Amino acid sequence: MNVQAMNRLRQYLSTQFQPFDRAALWSSQVAKEGALIVFWWAVPSFLFVWLVSRFRDYLPAAYLESAISEGIGPHLWNVVGTLGLVLVGFALLFPRSRLIARSAYYVLINTNAIGGLSFGLLFGQLFTRFAASTKNLALWKVWLMGAGGVCLAIQVLALNFSLWYLGHLMATREASDGFLHRVERIDFPLRLFAFLFFGTFPVILLFMEK
């Protein structure tokens, strides 16, 4: 592709994406609402794991620990999240459809809640095991494990929040000039490309799971 063609393509894309200013993509309320949802799911589940570990002699520990293990498993989050992303693809392809936008929104916010629950259970389990093993570990190993846990937590929270953010964009169908209203101005080939990305790529990754 020569320079002239590249310039035409750049100008075309710039014109297509011009409607998407910061107000259409972000607001301070988005992060606050997403964090609160994760907080109200993660904290009780974290405390639940700690209580089971602390008072296991007085509880049906084996049953509760099995429930914790099942809650940590990522399979449900993966399947529901994939469905949410496919619906996002359809919403970008047909941005005027309120039914598709609402479906995508509710699936994604519930996936975010499932992620918050799993996050609390996972890090509750890691915390209790980590606290029990620190007495037998060298200080540098404790710091290394702690740093690794923080990095893992950041990655998990960022991935989970991305679904909440997409759900927020889908909710703008109800607004007068939200994200999906501006998607309507995008040419169909670009919307088709977005659909193929969100609608097929996650499904391919899901089918690659063994």
Side-chain angles (χ1 to χ4, degrees):
M1 185 178 294
N2 57 38
V3 176
Q4 187 176 4
M6 285 290 294
N7 289 335
R8 285 200 300 267
L9 177 61
R10 189 180 299 111
Q11 184 177 5
Y12 170 75
L13 293 176
S14 177
T15 302
Q16 288 291 303
F17 293 119
Q18 189 175 4
F20 298 97
D21 55 13
R22 187 178 185 277
L25 298 174
W26 184 259
S27 69
S28 58
Q29 197 68 15
V30 178
K32 183 184 298 184
E33 291 178 357
L36 282 175
I37 293 294
V38 171
F39 177 85
W40 290 119
W41 280 96
V43 172
S45 57
F46 181 95
L47 293 175
F48 173 74
V49 175
W50 179 80
L51 289 171
V52 171
S53 175
R54 181 70 176 80
F55 301 103
R56 67 184 327 276
D57 293 337
Y58 306 97
L59 298 169
Y63 184 84
L64 295 177
E65 287 171 353
S66 295
I68 291 170
S69 297
E70 292 175 6
I72 293 174
H75 301 95
L76 179 61
W77 189 90
N78 288 341
V79 173
V80 179
T82 298
L83 174 60
L85 292 176
V86 171
L87 288 171
V88 168
F90 276 108
L92 296 176
L93 187 61
F94 306 108
R96 295 185 180 183
S97 173
R98 289 191 175 184
L99 176 61
I100 296 175
R102 286 180 180 177
S103 300
Y105 170 72
Y106 285 115
V107 170
L108 289 168
I109 63 170
N110 280 291
T111 308
N112 180 68
I114 293 171
L117 173 66
S118 299
F119 178 84
L121 294 174
L122 172 62
F123 281 88
Q125 198 170 68
L126 290 177
F127 175 80
T128 54
R129 293 180 179 179
F130 178 72
S133 62
T134 52
K135 298 178 182 179
N136 303 320
L137 293 175
L139 183 60
W140 69 269
K141 291 184 178 181
V142 173
W143 280 101
L144 183 62
M145 292 175 63
V150 170
C151 291
L152 178 61
I154 293 173
Q155 293 177 28
V156 171
L157 289 174
L159 185 60
N160 200 51
F161 177 76
S162 67
L163 297 182
W164 168 264
Y165 175 71
L166 287 173
H168 160 74
L169 294 181
M170 297 300 101
T172 60
R173 176 70 262 176
E174 306 299 328
S176 59
D177 189 29
F179 173 79
L180 287 177
H181 290 275
R182 304 188 188 202
V183 171
E184 293 177 18
R185 308 175 202 173
I186 301 296
D187 289 344
F188 182 78
L190 290 177
R191 290 190 279 119
L192 179 61
F193 176 80
F195 165 74
L196 292 175
F197 178 79
F198 284 100
T200 62
F201 185 63
V203 175
I204 291 171
L205 292 179
L206 183 66
F207 274 87
M208 289 174 63
E209 296 289 340
K210 299 295 184 180

